Amino acid sequence: MSSSTSSSSRSRLGALVTQSLRRNRAHFALSGLGVAVGIATLFFFTALGEGVRTQILERVFVIGQLEVVDPAAEGPSLGGLFGSVGGLDDRLVQRVAELEEVEAVFPKQKLTFPASARGGGSLLGRDLTIEFIADGIPQDLVDEPITDPLGFVDHANPASCSASSPCPAGFQCAGEVCEPAACTPGEDVSASCGAQAYCHAQRRTCAWPIPVIAHPNLIELFNGSLRTALKGSQGIGGQLPRLSETMLVGLEFDLVLGQSFLGRNERAARQTERARLVGFSERAMPMGATLPLSVVQRLNRRYSGDESADTYHSLLVEARSNDQVAPLTRRLTEELGLQLSARHQQAERIGLLISLITLLFNLIALIILGISALNITHTFSMMVLERRAEIGLMRALGAPRRTIHLLVLGEATVVALLSAATGLMLGWLAAYGLDLAFNSLVGDFPFKPDSLFGWQPWMAALGLATALLFCWLGALLPARRAGAISPAAALTAR
């Protein structure tokens, strides 16, 4: 019985709210307009801040991974092209890996001697020689699929062998260690050395191209900046083709080790090796090339000595979760005395700037909503005065104050729901329009996103909750006033 009575009361209350909304639709529409604008502003800038944050901090800087260097290391190698070592060894790598916030540690090492690259004739019409800037990373750090059959693998890394475990094609077992087999330059060595190998002209042994990966950023820089700047100029620069990953994967070129435009290494003789671009990866060096770490260590040992090969320039530290980045940063810098790389320091500053800008615009949205709440208070107060006799009659017929409160708050709830839906739609339309303008008016550039906005389900929930909060705040005082109306005073117009 009580359940039936409660259901009937809710039904009558809903009918009264609907009747009031229809009768005063113009007043409610004006009251809800400000709320809708505030919700649209809040939704728009929250999604914009999330999109920019995701694009910069997760794709460009990969904020969940910290790159640290040794601040006490000497020489220009930390920020320059090549030079002395970074001061990070395997013992420190082990200490970092044992931290509870750390998921994995990946050491990185730069080439510490001059080198140059020559090739590209198949794409450009003639070979070009450029400075070769590179670093080395562990092979298992590259999580993108490498489709080139050479793979991102150091094929020249010596392996053990025995009667039961023979060497692969192109190697011969010598003293339980696989060594490259002899060959004759100019002859077809595919059968004796393997399909991917060649015969090294100086050593006269089977050799495999050094696998190289590059950052996708380089293609975007070439197509969007260099090619555009040189278009129409004299010489080869005016005829540069538009490149793609498909065109470049498998491209082979020569590496001149120990000599470049910037200098010459006196420790070891200059040597030429063949290299092949096997793929593109976000893990690669942003402005240069990336090789397997063991290749870089072996070359640094030959041209710069054992100390250069046994120490690293930086460590890429992967946190277990984004929530643990802050405590991990403190432990790395305060306990171990390491320093974030300049790139990640910049990421922290940019992240703080994005948060402040987003907070500023959200504050503006909250100010709009606050003004809207005052407007709702005024509107509902005027309607309470206009309906004073009606409310008094309801009170005289036995309606409790709670029913009057719920009537006014019910009207405010409907205004909030309609305003939230309108505001979310306006915010999405504004974002859609900005994305269209951005994609059509702004040319391609590195890391250009498909959308400037990052949409999350919690944003719609935030907009709805905020609209309800401010509408209820605006209607609270008028509801209390309506419930306090005396039936006798209202019916006698006193």
Side-chain angles (χ1 to χ4, degrees), residues 77 142 361 452 470 482:
S77 63
V142 180
F361 284 114
L452 293 172
F470 280 87

Side-chain angles (χ1 to χ4, degrees), residues 67 69-88 108-113 133-135 285 300 304 307-308 311-314 341:
E67 187 169 3
V69 297
D70 181 5
E74 298 180 353
S77 63
L78 294 179
L81 303 181
F82 48 81
S84 66
V85 296
L88 306 172
K108 301 174 70 173
Q109 188 176 106
K110 295 179 182 178
L111 284 180
T112 56
F113 58 90
I133 310 302
D135 68 356
M285 192 178 187
N300 282 342
S304 301
E307 182 183 1
S308 177
T311 51
Y312 309 106
H313 293 96
S314 64
S341 66

Side-chain angles (χ1 to χ4, degrees), residues 53-113:
R53 181 190 302 278
T54 301
Q55 180 69 20
I56 294 179
L57 299 185
E58 294 186 11
R59 184 179 173 193
V60 178
F61 290 101
V62 193
I63 196 62
Q65 295 177 345
L66 304 174
E67 187 169 3
V68 294
V69 297
D70 181 5
E74 298 180 353
S77 63
L78 294 179
L81 303 181
F82 48 81
S84 66
V85 296
L88 306 172
D89 54 21
D90 289 325
R91 184 173 56 182
L92 183 58
V93 172
Q94 184 62 32
R95 289 184 61 189
V96 173
E98 292 173 353
L99 297 177
E100 60 182 358
E101 299 90 353
V102 173
E103 179 69 24
V105 182
F106 302 98
K108 301 174 70 173
Q109 188 176 106
K110 295 179 182 178
L111 284 180
T112 56
F113 58 90

Side-chain angles (χ1 to χ4, degrees), residues 183-247:
C183 62
T184 302
E187 295 183 357
D188 184 9
V189 296
S190 58
S192 58
C193 293
Q196 307 301 322
Y198 69 100
C199 189
H200 196 282
Q202 293 171 300
R203 297 192 298 268
R204 303 180 72 85
T205 60
C206 296
W208 284 258
I210 297 175
V212 175
I213 59 173
H215 201 286
N217 184 18
L218 292 178
I219 295 182
E220 297 184 27
L221 283 176
F222 179 89
N223 291 332
S225 299
L226 180 62
R227 182 171 175 270
T228 302
L230 296 178
K231 188 176 182 180
S233 62
Q234 297 292 328
I236 192 173
Q239 303 174 358
L240 294 176
R242 184 176 181 84
L243 301 180
S244 66
E245 292 187 11
T246 305
M247 294 172 58

Side-chain angles (χ1 to χ4, degrees), residues 321-342:
S321 66
N322 287 341
D323 296 337
Q324 295 180 314
V325 171
L328 176 58
T329 301
R330 287 194 296 270
R331 296 196 68 178
L332 292 172
T333 56
E334 297 175 7
E335 294 183 16
L336 299 182
L338 300 175
Q339 176 180 306
L340 289 179
S341 66

